[in-house]
Amino acid sequence: MAQEPLVTTLDPADVKARSAMSPAIKAFICLAAAHAMVDCCALVWSIFKNLVGLNLARAGLLQFIGMFIASLMQPVFGALSDHGMRRRLVVLGIALASCTMLLGPVSMTGDFMHGPAGYATMFFVIMFAWLGVSMFHPPAVTLAGETFSGRRSTAVALFIACGMTGMASSHLFFSFAFRRLNGHTEVLLIPAAMIVAWVWWWCRVPQKRCDGSLGLRSMASQVAQLPRRLFPLWLMQVSVAAHHQGMIFLMPEFATHRGYDDVFVRGGLFAALIAGSAVMMLPVGHLADRIGRRRVMFLGLMTSLPLHLLLVLTPRMPAAGCVVILFLIGGFAASMTPVGIAHGQALVPRQASLITGFLMGFAWAAASPTPWIVGTLAGRPSLGPVGAVAWLAVALLIGCVSAFFVPGSLEAAPSGRDGSPE
């Protein structure tokens, strides 16, 4: 019997559909990889201050000022993104975020680093880097959500989970590179440039452009016209951001005070906190798409509060137990960020990038004093790093109350109730 030739005939419609999906998939892959790199660079400062022995209060003050300015710019970048500049903002944001690799050469200047001029130099380095982070997130999150618009919460959660993977490796990666390269971390700008080129080549998703004028007055007017009922959602984002920033900033000192091994001080505990967010963000986002985002936000924060109290009120907790609890705190608390962003985008779909910048930029700007506050508290002998971390439970409590009042829709409903279970 003659064997039939193995010839496969493809339906032209199927070929067209596959080719139509290809740019979106490529864009999502390169955006996710870039997000991992950007978030890895963004958190270098908290371990750098520990490696070179900076004053906690001064380091926290620099982070407060730099992060406040950069975060406040996020809605501006979001509005620019909505007017057709998404791809350019993403690429420029990646390039600027990599500036944190210049901290290594600054640390080689001896006493200069610990003087006013040294702190000023380090401030400008991290200022440019955090501006890049703020520039990257609004357009990148929006582009990632639009690649799989039918499952926006899942897509945003997966995208942010990739960023969390970069965060989790940040302290360990920079500590290792800083020691092996003898402070010459500027070498790492080479792979960063390669990622910039990759995103420029692959990220070619068609962009939607908003109508209307573009300017500071116009953008301020757009932010002012956002519904006031978004305030509880914004306050919840502020609470989650404050808790997250405080934990990240003091994690190396917390591990040192508890007497854990060097691997936990240099990034082990920090990696556990961020890994919990990265692992649980996707299932949490999927769950939010199924049972409602408001329910997931409230339950997640209610679960993280007792876990946080258990962490700080158990003085002789073994390192393994601390890793598990930090993993769960990261999963239940930080995972609320993408759910809140997706909910805000669903409430104001025509201004997706602006609402992303509002819920991320303004929220992180409002939470930016947290490192300065906890750094100052940690310097008090009566509190120390553990006592300062304990005060972060207040942020989780405020987040729980705010999540309860998040609206399900922005449309008028009978008796003043939300018309959606979301």
Side-chain angles (χ1 to χ4, degrees):
M1 180 181 295
Q3 187 175 5
E4 296 182 0
L6 297 177
V7 178
T8 302
T9 303
L10 295 178
D11 187 357
D14 183 53
V15 173
K16 184 178 179 180
R18 292 183 182 180
S19 62
M21 285 293 296
S22 178
I25 295 174
K26 283 185 174 183
F28 186 86
I29 291 173
C30 67
L31 285 172
H35 195 195
M37 191 208 83
V38 167
D39 283 2
C40 179
C41 294
L43 299 181
V44 162
W45 176 248
S46 55
I47 187 61
F48 175 79
K49 71 171 178 15
N50 181 270
L51 290 170
V52 299
L54 296 179
N55 179 275
L56 286 179
R58 292 176 183 176
L61 179 60
L62 292 189
Q63 179 165 334
F64 160 45
I65 299 173
M67 191 166 288
F68 178 80
I69 296 173
S71 298
L72 209 59
M73 290 294 294
Q74 274 207 27
V76 177
F77 295 136
L80 291 171
S81 171
D82 284 333
H83 281 76
M85 299 181 64
R86 291 178 183 171
R87 184 163 170 262
R88 281 173 283 180
L89 289 174
V90 165
V91 172
L92 183 58
I94 300 169
L96 288 177
S98 62
C99 287
T100 53
M101 296 302 108
L102 297 175
L103 288 172
V106 176
S107 69
M108 304 170 65
T109 57
D111 294 336
F112 171 83
M113 178 183 63
H114 296 282
Y119 275 97
T121 302
M122 291 183 290
F123 169 74
F124 283 110
V125 169
I126 61 177
M127 181 74 255
F128 279 112
W130 287 335
L131 276 174
V133 173
S134 294
M135 189 180 297
F136 171 84
H137 278 95
V141 172
T142 304
L143 285 174
E146 289 178 352
T147 55
F148 303 100
S149 57
R151 286 287 184 267
R152 182 180 290 272
S153 293
T154 304
V156 172
L158 180 58
F159 173 76
I160 296 185
C162 293
M164 289 292 180
T165 304
M167 283 188 182
S169 63
S170 177
H171 286 195
L172 288 170
F173 171 77
F174 187 80
S175 298
F176 176 79
F178 185 82
R179 291 177 173 179
R180 291 298 298 267
L181 297 174
N182 295 321
H184 288 286
T185 53
E186 70 276 9
V187 175
L188 300 175
L189 292 175
I190 297 175
M194 296 173 65
I195 293 179
V196 170
W198 180 31
V199 174
W200 178 261
W201 180 256
W202 267 27
C203 186
R204 298 180 180 274
V205 179
Q207 301 179 42
K208 299 178 182 178
R209 182 187 295 267
C210 286
D211 298 328
S213 61
L214 179 62
L216 291 178
R217 182 176 298 181
S218 174
M219 289 184 283
S221 176
Q222 292 180 46
V223 173
Q225 291 175 6
L226 290 175
R228 294 183 180 180
R229 293 180 64 202
L230 288 173
F231 178 75
L233 179 60
W234 176 80
L235 186 58
M236 189 214 73
Q237 294 286 85
V238 172
S239 303
V240 172
H243 178 265
H244 198 60
Q245 291 182 29
M247 294 289 286
I248 290 173
F249 185 77
L250 282 184
M251 193 54 61
E253 288 73 25
F254 177 84
T256 302
H257 189 81
R258 282 288 172 90
Y260 296 139
D261 293 338
D262 188 66
V263 66
F264 296 104
V265 175
R266 301 301 182 209
L269 293 189
F270 172 81
L273 176 71
I274 306 301
S277 306
V279 171
M280 297 183 65
M281 218 169 255
L282 184 58
V284 166
H286 181 69
L287 184 65
D289 284 330
R290 293 181 62 86
I291 71 171
R293 291 179 284 266
R294 288 191 301 165
R295 294 190 184 98
V296 169
M297 287 186 286
F298 180 73
L299 293 175
L301 291 172
M302 281 294 293
T303 305
S304 61
L305 180 57
L307 289 171
H308 182 91
L309 294 175
L310 178 63
L311 175 72
V312 296
L313 296 178
T314 308
R316 297 186 178 181
M317 181 179 296
C322 188
V323 166
V324 172
I325 292 180
L326 284 171
F327 181 91
L328 294 175
I329 291 175
F332 286 114
S335 295
M336 299 306 103
T337 296
V339 178
I341 293 170
H343 191 56
Q345 290 179 345
L347 293 176
V348 193
R350 296 187 64 181
Q351 295 174 298
S353 290
L354 180 65
I355 199 66
T356 301
F358 174 71
L359 292 176
M360 293 182 70
F362 279 6
W364 276 75
S368 59
T370 306
W372 182 28
I373 294 171
V374 297
T376 303
L377 292 175
R380 296 185 177 182
S382 58
L383 289 175
V386 176
V389 170
W391 274 100
L392 292 174
V394 176
L396 292 177
L397 181 60
I398 296 174
C400 292
V401 176
S402 302
F404 184 78
F405 293 98
V406 170
S409 70
L410 295 179
E411 299 177 359
S415 303
R417 293 195 167 198
D418 297 330
S420 169
E422 288 293 317

